[in-house]
Amino acid sequence: MASPFIEIPVGDRLVKVTNPDKVYFPEHGYTKRQLVEYYIAVGEGILRATRDRPTTLERWPAGVFEGAKMATREDYARGQAGFGAGKSDAFYQKRVPKGAPDWVRTSRIAFPSGRFADEVRPTEVAVIAWAANLGTLTFHPWPVRDGDVDHPDELRIDLDPQPGTDFSDAVRVALGPARDLLSELGMTGFVKTSGKGGVHIYVRIEPRWTFTEVRRAALAFGREVERRVPDEVTTRWWKEERGEQIFIDFNQNARDRTIASAYSVRPAPHAPVSAPVTWDELADADPHDFTIATMPDRFAKVGDLHAAIDDEAFTLDALLELADRDERDHGLGDMPYPPNYPKMPGEPKRVQPSKDTGKPS
């Protein structure tokens, strides 16, 4: 008979783990207890990635099994965005769960709709372990700190392979034109695998710009990389226009859009994680090598490869000047926002080209 719960010491806390023997990853038999222990083992790293940041919890309380699915927008509309019969098997928790311990801190954030929510704000590894016990596989921190939730301190460059491309193509773009451009801008980028097929590059920035301005800077960065390798990179928002290229997803810098944090576990059968790597390692990296089974030993040996990310914060002035030149000299204005956003100032029609009737949006 499986144990109903155990208690694991995490710092000064005792974190209860219910049903610790419940299998979360059937392919290898990894259990909930192993998930919690993984996060404790990489605690310094995952906390650096999430500390004092409002964080959405991606919860898979039934584990990752064949046929499991994430809640869709329609599930939310039907009230089925949760675990249980007739509902989705996984969902995003954007508000602090009821019954959270009093040592779980929160941050109040505003969604694009204008509504507010109090999201979990990790301040210690015990909070991560507590969330893992709830079935949280992936942590999605906002690019802001609790003291100023309207001005991001992180520029996020998401290199997303499209059908016909793969991780090796994203690596080539990262190590080539993307890294070159960062160097020309005088920026230091911290790179990691996405845990799926992509590459993420994070740049610490001064918290002086709005989400709209940071997104504009990310779009300018993507367009400049696209100019340098137009056959390999695209910033086209509509999937039907991207082709077999690496998409630089500028919209990941919009308000309420988040990326899986460093060390987050991803919902795939082999329990992969989003792994920080050095630039030198990236060329030969295989994302399948980084899992909840392998990362604790790696972390014990190399530590947190993003440990220096807070050492220097950079300016976006050059990228925003580039955005101005793109608009002035090349007629390259804004691009569409994600579908859940209200119509934004200066945004073009939010209609995919194949369905555009020519009527104003």
Side-chain angles (χ1 to χ4, degrees), residues 37-253:
E37 290 176 339
Y38 160 75
Y39 274 122
I40 295 171
V42 299
E44 178 187 350
I46 183 71
L47 188 59
R48 179 172 285 108
T50 60
R51 187 194 295 272
D52 283 330
R53 298 186 184 279
T55 300
T56 299
L57 310 179
E58 183 180 332
R59 295 177 58 185
W60 291 77
V64 180
F65 55 89
E66 186 175 355
K69 69 183 184 74
M70 171 61 70
T72 64
R73 293 179 66 198
E74 290 73 22
D75 290 329
Y76 282 98
R78 292 191 297 264
Q80 293 185 331
F83 176 65
K87 298 185 177 183
S88 58
D89 305 296
F91 57 98
Y92 292 104
Q93 181 97 46
K94 292 194 173 187
R95 290 172 169 80
V96 62
K98 293 181 180 178
D102 58 10
W103 41 266
V104 174
R105 303 289 183 249
T106 62
S107 289
R108 175 154 291 192
I109 46 85
F111 298 121
S113 64
R115 294 180 296 110
F116 291 87
D118 294 315
E119 285 207 337
V120 170
R121 169 170 57 93
T123 55
E124 55 184 301
V125 178
V127 174
I128 302 295
W130 162 81
N133 176 61
L134 297 179
T136 301
L137 298 190
T138 309
F139 293 83
H140 295 266
W142 282 46
V144 298
R145 306 277 189 179
D146 181 62
D148 186 352
V149 296
D150 292 317
H151 295 89
D153 70 344
E154 206 160 64
L155 174 68
R156 296 172 173 178
I157 301 164
D158 181 5
L159 306 180
D160 185 10
Q162 300 303 289
T165 64
D166 57 22
F167 179 73
S168 65
D169 298 303
V171 167
R172 186 170 62 253
V173 172
L175 289 174
R179 191 182 188 188
D180 289 345
L181 181 53
L182 286 173
S183 178
E184 293 165 22
L185 292 167
M187 292 177 164
T188 299
F190 290 81
V191 67
K192 66 184 182 73
T193 67
S194 70
K196 293 185 176 179
V199 174
H200 298 157
I201 305 170
Y202 285 7
V203 178
R204 184 68 74 243
I205 60 173
E206 299 168 2
R208 296 197 286 118
W209 295 275
T210 64
F211 280 95
T212 301
E213 291 168 321
V214 174
R215 175 184 174 275
R216 190 165 187 259
L219 177 55
F221 185 98
R223 281 173 167 163
E224 179 58 27
V225 173
E226 184 178 15
R227 271 190 288 269
R228 298 182 184 197
V229 285
D231 294 332
E232 298 181 50
V233 168
T234 183
T235 54
R236 299 279 186 176
W237 174 245
W238 301 110
K239 291 182 179 180
E240 65 186 37
E241 295 186 309
R242 294 176 191 171
E244 295 183 4
Q245 296 177 297
I246 297 300
F247 172 52
I248 298 185
D249 191 353
F250 54 89
N251 266 332
Q252 295 290 35
N253 293 272

Side-chain angles (χ1 to χ4, degrees), residues 237-238 334-337 343 346-353 355-361:
W237 174 245
W238 301 110
D334 205 353
M335 293 284 274
Y337 275 75
K343 183 71 174 179
E347 181 188 1
K349 284 201 292 186
R350 201 180 296 171
V351 180
Q352 64 188 74
K355 295 182 178 180
D356 189 356
T357 63
K359 297 180 181 179
S361 60

